[in-house]
Amino acid sequence: MAISSMRRFSLLLPLGWALAAPLHAQPTQGGPPRPGAWAPVSGATLAKDYARRGEYDKAVFLFGQLKEAEQISPDVLPDYLAALQAKKQYKEAEKLLKKAIKQHPEEGGYGVLLGGVLAATGDTLAAKKQYQKVIGQLTPPQVGPVAAEFGRRDMPQWAERTYLRGRELAKNNSEYAPQLIQLYTQGQQQDKLLAETLRLVQQDEQQLPFVRNMLQNALRTEKDFDTLDKLLLTAVQEHPEQAAYSELLLWLQVQRHDFAGALIQARALDRRAGTKGERVLLLGSIAERNKDYESAIAAYDYVVREQRQGPYFQVARQRLLQAREAQVRDTYPVDQAKVRALATEYESLLAELGRTPDTAPVMRSLADLYAFVLDDKTKAMSILQEVVAMPRASADVVDAAKTTLGDLYLLKGEPWEATLLYSQVEKAHPEAPLGYEAKLRNARLSYFAGDFKLAQSHLDILKEATTREIANDAMQLSLLIQENTAEDTLGLGLKAYAAVEQQVFQNKLAEAQAGLNNLLRNYPGHALTDDALYLKAQLQRRTGDYAGATATLKLLTENPKFDVLSDDALFLLARIQEEDVKDRAQAQTLYQQLLTKYPGSIYVAEARKRFRKLRGDAVQ
């Protein structure tokens, strides 16, 4: 059959039949089509297909041939309506929707569609009246679909009105709170969002995880945090019986790194729930990880004082000493008298509790003090060897002691002994953080020795480590090697820098400072210059040369070519002014400068907390 005759034949086919086979196929005589024959297609399906392809004339014609019940069915109506509107046949669209509303009054979304048609004609007043009519006639089952239709049409104000009307119908002032919170979050309506979150958690404490998640996405500015902080403080004071407010305030203060304020809420919640110090102990750990040692010490001290017979007493006692140790170590210059006093407390604790597998972590902490602060390597190694040889001691504790023992051999200048111990731990814990830590130490050992290729092979594995901190450390050292061996293929500058870092590790600070000065003099303009200056400033601070540290850091903050470390330098400069020089006004200015100039910096949260404290904001 010729193509032209096939076209003529196709025009004679009944409505609803279409070509579904090769041109040579023939229609069957009665009954369902055979495979390869003409296939029946409903008029509605054809019409929708035309509409979706933009062939609106054909679509409108075919839709018009359908029975009225099919035209207004949920499966057909949206496509028919879209085709009519595309053809600007608004009167027909209006008639269609009015029929649909009359036949299906339970479908509240049809009323919204009618309002959309009226708006498309330019009659905004009629459209508004229609939307008001829809909301005025709402029934509880219609609230969700009507609000969803307003949402699809990007009409959040009407969606909000729908939910609020639904709340009136339900006679429950927290009904539809999750939907409203999402709506306010998307629209960045902070005042309404915060009020709605407080209303929700007051009614249902089980919604706390949802509220925290939404607030995490919604709180963007310092003003947002301050507003919620004030609202929660008022709520806690007015409704002390509502634990949900205290829980949310505790969460907010942790987000802001306001651990002193969070501690007040944690203690109150701990007493109310009778958790015997567990909440406070957890908060202490978070504060310690964030180097807020004062808050960590206060948290552990609370558990030690208030829960002497509780299950967390001994843990809190040990962590209290460890937090005080970390505080002493991070205070420059290190106060040797305080370190010796701390070592005496460790010794007293061990004398009281005995040197047992349970106190092995305390022994490790004491060994760290002797090794890295008091420079008594012999005593430190003796304690660690005692832990390694201790029967029934935890394998993790023993291998952690081996790792520290390896560090001591490195301090003594015996790298082969160090790598032997690191490798043992690495082999015992191939897929655990302890094993990754040992591998990182082996990589660092190769780096110190100037064997950058071997170091890189370790680091390539560690960059995929499951522990973020180790992966980040590995990434940083890997980038340092890559960036400084690309042009300087012999790595002479990097070898000099690695030697300095080894001296720092060995606490040979005078030699390290001399090495840095030589490096900066011998390799002017080297890619390592910013790293060398930053390390030099850190060493100057450790030795009490605050004026020198300030001058060195300004070389980084005032020179645009050192932009990679400029936020690190600015934060350290502010800390020196605050903690060492005691110039609170200058420190406040520097923290504010960091918040403004580097809003994406990892130091923003801590800088914000310190800035607020210096500004005189009340500690909650």
Side-chain angles (χ1 to χ4, degrees):
M1 185 181 296
I3 296 295
S4 57
S5 61
M6 277 298 296
R7 285 177 179 160
R8 288 195 299 274
F9 175 74
S10 67
L11 295 175
L12 300 176
L13 288 173
L15 180 65
W17 289 77
L19 289 172
L23 291 176
H24 61 271
Q26 298 293 327
T28 56
Q29 299 296 319
R34 297 190 309 273
W38 302 112
V41 179
S42 72
T45 301
L46 279 174
K48 288 194 288 185
D49 185 54
Y50 280 130
R52 290 166 189 174
R53 285 189 290 168
E55 298 182 46
Y56 298 115
D57 287 327
K58 296 176 182 177
V60 168
F61 173 76
L62 291 175
F63 279 130
Q65 303 302 306
L66 302 176
K67 294 179 180 178
E68 181 179 295
E70 193 172 5
Q71 289 177 342
I72 61 176
S73 68
D75 187 47
V76 172
L77 180 65
D79 291 293
Y80 190 6
L81 185 62
L84 288 171
Q85 287 186 280
K87 293 289 295 173
K88 299 190 183 326
Q89 295 182 13
Y90 298 121
K91 287 295 182 185
E92 292 300 319
E94 187 177 341
K95 289 178 186 177
L96 177 68
L97 282 168
K98 286 180 177 178
K99 289 179 187 176
I101 293 169
K102 184 176 181 180
Q103 292 297 321
H104 300 284
E106 75 283 357
E107 294 287 346
Y110 286 174
V112 180
L113 293 176
L114 178 57
V117 170
L118 294 172
T121 67
D123 193 345
T124 54
L125 182 61
K128 182 179 179 180
K129 287 181 178 179
Q130 174 59 29
Y131 296 143
Q132 289 172 334
K133 181 179 178 182
V134 170
I135 292 175
Q137 295 177 349
L138 268 179
T139 62
Q142 292 177 332
V143 174
V146 168
E149 188 59 46
F150 278 126
R152 278 192 290 271
R153 304 178 77 82
D154 195 22
M155 302 173 72
Q157 291 181 330
W158 287 101
E160 178 190 10
R161 293 183 190 181
T162 304
Y163 286 129
L164 292 175
R165 175 57 183 158
R167 177 173 286 177
E168 290 175 3
L169 293 172
K171 298 180 180 178
N172 180 350
N173 69 356
S174 67
E175 193 74 15
Y176 302 107
Q179 293 87 341
L180 284 165
I181 288 172
Q182 287 182 320
L183 200 64
Y184 297 146
T185 300
Q186 291 164 0
Q188 298 184 30
Q189 295 176 273
Q190 303 300 79
D191 291 345
K192 290 182 177 181
L193 167 67
L194 298 182
E196 200 63 47
T197 56
L198 296 189
R199 184 180 293 113
L200 179 59
V201 295
Q202 181 186 21
Q203 295 290 327
D204 185 2
E205 290 189 17
Q206 299 300 315
Q207 295 290 340
L208 265 173
F210 167 77
V211 167
R212 283 195 292 256
N213 184 54
M214 296 306 295
L215 288 173
Q216 187 85 51
N217 297 325
L219 298 174
R220 292 181 173 85
T221 67
E222 185 68 16
K223 181 182 176 183
D224 295 339
F225 281 96
D226 283 340
T227 302
L228 181 57
D229 200 317
K230 290 173 184 175
L231 286 172
L232 285 171
L233 279 170
T234 301
V236 167
Q237 291 164 0
E238 293 179 353
H239 304 282
E241 76 286 354
Q242 289 279 349
Y245 290 143
S246 293
E247 291 279 5
L248 197 55
L249 181 56
L250 171 60
W251 170 82
L252 177 67
Q253 289 167 331
V254 169
Q255 300 306 302
R256 306 186 79 175
H257 287 204
D258 179 11
F259 298 111
L263 180 57
I264 294 173
Q265 304 308 319
R267 286 196 301 242
L269 289 166
D270 186 72
R271 292 191 187 104
R272 180 181 291 144
T275 50
K276 300 181 179 180
E278 183 182 11
R279 296 290 297 272
V280 181
L281 192 70
L282 176 60
L283 179 65
S285 298
I286 297 171
E288 187 177 353
R289 282 200 303 272
N290 286 276
K291 298 189 177 183
D292 185 345
Y293 299 121
E294 288 185 12
S295 296
I297 289 168
Y300 297 144
D301 185 61
Y302 166 84
V303 179
V304 169
R305 285 185 293 100
E306 301 290 330
Q307 299 292 335
R308 298 190 69 84
Q309 305 303 319
Y312 304 106
F313 171 72
Q314 293 296 353
V315 174
R317 193 175 176 191
Q318 292 180 27
R319 289 188 183 177
L320 176 59
L321 288 175
Q322 290 166 355
R324 287 174 56 195
E325 176 190 344
Q327 185 182 44
V328 167
R329 283 194 188 193
D330 280 7
T331 302
Y332 302 116
V334 174
D335 188 327
Q336 293 290 319
K338 287 185 177 179
V339 177
R340 292 191 182 281
L342 192 58
T344 300
E345 289 191 53
Y346 273 128
E347 294 280 14
S348 298
L349 181 62
L350 289 171
E352 179 185 335
L353 301 178
R355 295 180 178 236
T356 68
D358 289 337
T359 59
V362 179
M363 295 172 69
R364 276 194 58 238
S365 296
L366 179 59
D368 282 351
L369 277 185
Y370 282 125
F372 301 109
V373 186
L374 296 174
D375 199 27
D376 190 344
K377 299 180 185 62
T378 302
K379 191 161 188 175
M381 294 182 80
S382 174
I383 295 171
L384 290 169
Q385 285 164 346
E386 186 180 349
V387 172
V388 170
M390 187 176 286
R392 296 185 303 279
S394 159
D396 284 354
V397 172
V398 169
D399 285 334
K402 283 184 178 181
T403 303
T404 307
L405 201 53
D407 293 343
L408 292 181
Y409 277 116
L410 185 56
L411 286 173
K412 289 178 64 180
E414 299 180 39
W416 291 111
E417 292 293 336
T419 194
L420 179 63
L421 287 166
Y422 295 152
S423 298
Q424 287 177 3
V425 177
E426 198 179 325
K427 185 177 180 181
H429 305 270
E431 301 295 334
L434 196 54
Y436 294 140
E437 187 65 48
K439 184 179 281 292
L440 183 61
R441 280 169 157 78
N442 259 329
R444 186 183 60 190
L445 195 56
S446 300
Y447 165 71
F448 287 160
D451 190 346
F452 302 133
K453 187 174 181 180
L454 181 57
Q456 192 69 55
S457 68
H458 287 298
L459 296 170
D460 286 341
I461 297 171
L462 287 170
K463 285 187 287 187
E464 305 300 324
T466 54
T467 305
R468 185 175 63 179
E469 185 176 347
I470 292 174
N472 287 344
D473 288 346
M475 181 69 74
Q476 288 179 8
L477 184 53
S478 176
L479 288 172
L480 182 70
I481 292 172
Q482 290 174 13
E483 290 172 359
N484 293 286
T485 53
E487 295 182 7
D488 179 8
T489 53
L490 295 177
L492 297 178
L494 185 58
K495 286 179 181 178
Y497 185 75
V500 167
E501 288 208 290
Q502 182 172 6
Q503 289 168 335
V504 173
F505 177 76
Q506 294 172 327
N507 213 27
K508 298 177 180 179
L509 303 188
E511 293 93 328
Q513 285 182 300
L516 283 172
N517 289 332
N518 288 334
L519 189 154
L520 290 167
R521 183 173 55 254
N522 295 334
Y523 300 95
H526 195 283
L528 276 163
T529 300
D530 53 347
D531 295 280
L533 287 171
Y534 188 65
L535 181 55
K536 180 180 178 179
Q538 290 176 303
L539 296 181
Q540 287 170 319
R541 185 191 184 205
R542 285 179 64 172
T543 55
D545 182 8
Y546 305 127
T550 298
T552 302
L553 289 169
K554 285 183 177 180
L555 294 175
L556 292 169
T557 59
E558 296 175 2
N559 192 330
K561 73 177 182 178
F562 296 138
D563 62 318
V564 174
L565 287 177
S566 52
D567 63 325
D568 303 75
L570 186 56
F571 183 69
L572 181 56
L573 187 57
R575 285 191 62 189
I576 290 172
Q577 298 304 310
E578 178 189 7
E579 299 170 9
D580 305 318
V581 180
K582 308 298 183 184
D583 187 342
R584 294 169 57 86
Q586 179 63 13
Q588 184 178 338
T589 299
L590 292 170
Y591 286 131
Q592 186 173 31
Q593 186 179 337
L594 188 145
L595 292 171
T596 304
K597 194 173 180 181
Y598 305 104
S601 170
I602 61 172
Y603 301 107
V604 161
E606 181 65 18
R608 181 188 296 119
K609 185 188 78 171
R610 289 170 177 258
F611 172 76
R612 292 177 71 240
K613 184 177 179 182
L614 290 169
R615 188 174 60 184
D617 293 7
V619 177
Q620 311 302 340

